[in-house]
């Protein structure tokens, strides 16, 4: 693959810049042979806890497990309802159903694509036992409103931070928290393409609550606190030492990586500002937007034709997400009524994500923007 190709997410270019550091971190783990529960795992958890300002960071095998373990730690029972947005990656709702809980899907905001607080409040019943807002595409959901509603009803919040690690939320009263540290629990994924990605699978759970942290550590380790004493049913979900070692290297660059994404998004915004066919992603003023994806809405555009126009010019693009959860075959039984989801239904038909990563040159960015605008000439 030629290096002047435009990538949706340029992991190769990124690796080449940190190769020496990463290779030696991996070599150290190989020499130690502490592949599981090696020193890098604890060190990474401590360093990430410091970075996001959480008391506890507990590594696990992936972001889906992180969500599952978080819900298990809350002690929910079959039939309890868990509210999630209708417009997100499937993992958010998959674990809810898998645990025998009842997913309650809620529509999202048309401008930020994150869960609608009004719809959320309307969906609460006496059975609601958790709320999972998703900080979609790199920007926090409206946490002022969500925490106010959750606290009023005494419902725990699990923030799905898989797409927004490093985003910062400023509450109306001026206090600031990192994404993932606002609710009782936060979860993230280190899937390679995420803002902080490893070179395989990985995930983590965040909390400031000592009792929850203790429960989570036990759940992730076969429900075990003392070796071969199983207090509860758990799972086996660990962050590998090699992945932790890589993540320690990359965490040092995370702010710079997020800044590079923001700069690319600013450039796209400025180029597309006067094109009436492109609705650029809105920035919620309470949250930084670290652009896991640069996702626009197309207005009066044949999306398939537009995607082909870009592809013919060597520019990849992606539809995140083409089918809202209430229309996914596996989740139809949980969807009360398609009429409840006018916004996610519309978004699924009109969104398009452009290449977004940390390794753009000004020339490549200009090439993408020129060819996007060229379609409308
Ligand atoms: C990636 C992602 C996950 C799941 O992470 P994995 O590590 O792939 O299991 C969960 N939620 C959201 C919103 C994601 O984008």
């Amino acid at each position: 693959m030629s290096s002047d190709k435009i990538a949706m997410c340029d992991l190769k270019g990124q690796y080449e810049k940190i190769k020496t550091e990463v290779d030696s971190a991996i070599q150290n783990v190989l020499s130690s042979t502490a592949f599981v529960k090696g020193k890098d795992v604890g060190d990474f958890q401590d360093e990430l806890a410091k970075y996001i300002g959480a008391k506890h960071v507990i590594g696990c095998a992936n972001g889906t497990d992180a969500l599952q373990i978080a819900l298990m730690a809350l002690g929910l029972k079959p039939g309890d309802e868990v509210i999630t947005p209708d417009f997100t990656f499937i993992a958010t709702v998959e674990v809810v159903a898998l645990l025998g809980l009842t997913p309650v899907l809620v529509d999202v905001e048309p401008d930020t694509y994150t869960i609608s607080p009004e719809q959320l409040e309307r969906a609460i019943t006496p059975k609601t036992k958790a709320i999972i807002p998703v900080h979609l595409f790199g920007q926090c959901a409206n946490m002022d409103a969500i925490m106010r509603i959750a606290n009023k009803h005494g419902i725990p919040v699990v923030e799905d931070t898989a797409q927004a690690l490093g985003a910062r939320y400023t509450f109306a009263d001026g206090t600031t928290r990192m994404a993932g540290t606002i609710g009782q629990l936060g979860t993230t994924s280190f899937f390679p393409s995420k803002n902080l990605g490893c070179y395989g699978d990985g995930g983590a759970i965040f909390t400031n609550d000592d009792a929850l942290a203790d429960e989570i550590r036990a759940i992730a380790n076969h429900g075990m606190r003392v070796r071969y004493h199983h207090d509860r049913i758990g799972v086996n979900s660990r962050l590998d030492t090699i992945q932790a070692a890589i993540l320690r290297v990359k965490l040092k660059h995370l702010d710079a990586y997020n800044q590079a994404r923001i700069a690319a998004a600013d450039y796209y915004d400025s180029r597309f500002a006067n094109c009436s066919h492109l609705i650029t992603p809105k920035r919620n003023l309470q949250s930084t937007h670290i652009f896991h994806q640069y996702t626009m809405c197309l207005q009066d555009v044949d999306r398939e034709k537009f995607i082909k126009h870009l592809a013919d010019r060597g520019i990849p693009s992606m539809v995140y997400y083409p089918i809202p959860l209430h229309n996914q075959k596996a989740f139809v039984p949980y969807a009360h009524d398609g009429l409840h989801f006018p916004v996610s239904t519309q978004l699924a038909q009109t969104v398009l994500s452009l290449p977004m990563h940390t390794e753009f040159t000004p020339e490549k960015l200009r090439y993408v923007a020129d060819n996007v605008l060229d379609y409308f000439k």
Side-chain angles (χ1 to χ4, degrees), residues 61-67 88-92 134-137 160-163 187-191 193-194 200-203 292 321:
N62 55 66
T64 309
D65 274 11
L67 284 161
T88 174
F89 180 57
I90 195 74
T92 315
V134 178
H135 303 315
L136 202 70
F137 302 146
D160 183 343
T161 315
Q163 302 190 2
T187 66
T188 202
S189 163
F190 305 121
F191 185 79
S193 64
K194 305 282 159 133
D201 277 306
H292 173 60
Y321 296 94

Side-chain angles (χ1 to χ4, degrees), residues 85 87-88 107-118 134-143 146 163 169 279-289 291 293 295-297 320-321 343-344 347 351:
F87 191 67
T88 174
D107 209 357
V108 295
E109 301 278 25
D111 49 2
T112 61
Y113 320 141
T114 54
I115 195 165
S116 154
E118 288 94 77
V134 178
H135 303 315
L136 202 70
F137 302 146
Q139 174 168 246
C140 292
N142 181 346
M143 294 308 287
I146 293 166
Q163 302 190 2
Y169 188 88
I279 305 169
T280 55
K282 165 127 190 254
R283 323 275 188 117
N284 166 0
L285 295 177
Q286 304 297 118
S287 173
T288 51
H289 194 327
F291 289 95
Q293 298 296 344
T295 305
M296 352 173 254
C297 279
Y320 303 115
Y321 296 94
V343 178
S344 62
L347 288 175
V351 285

Side-chain angles (χ1 to χ4, degrees), residues 6 11 31 70 84 101 141 196 204 209 213 262 265 364:
I6 310 250
L11 291 176
S31 307
T84 78
L101 310 168
L196 179 62
D209 183 314
I262 292 169
K364 279 188 186 170

Side-chain angles (χ1 to χ4, degrees), residues 66-122:
L67 284 161
Q68 179 176 332
I69 293 164
L71 291 176
M72 288 171 78
L74 289 175
L76 307 192
K77 289 177 199 64
D80 286 349
E81 293 175 357
V82 177
I83 297 178
T84 78
D86 186 46
F87 191 67
T88 174
F89 180 57
I90 195 74
T92 315
V93 72
E94 191 172 37
V95 295
V96 175
L98 206 59
L99 291 172
L101 310 168
T102 304
V104 175
L105 305 173
V106 160
D107 209 357
V108 295
E109 301 278 25
D111 49 2
T112 61
Y113 320 141
T114 54
I115 195 165
S116 154
E118 288 94 77
Q119 301 296 323
L120 160 64
E121 185 146 40
R122 219 169 288 170

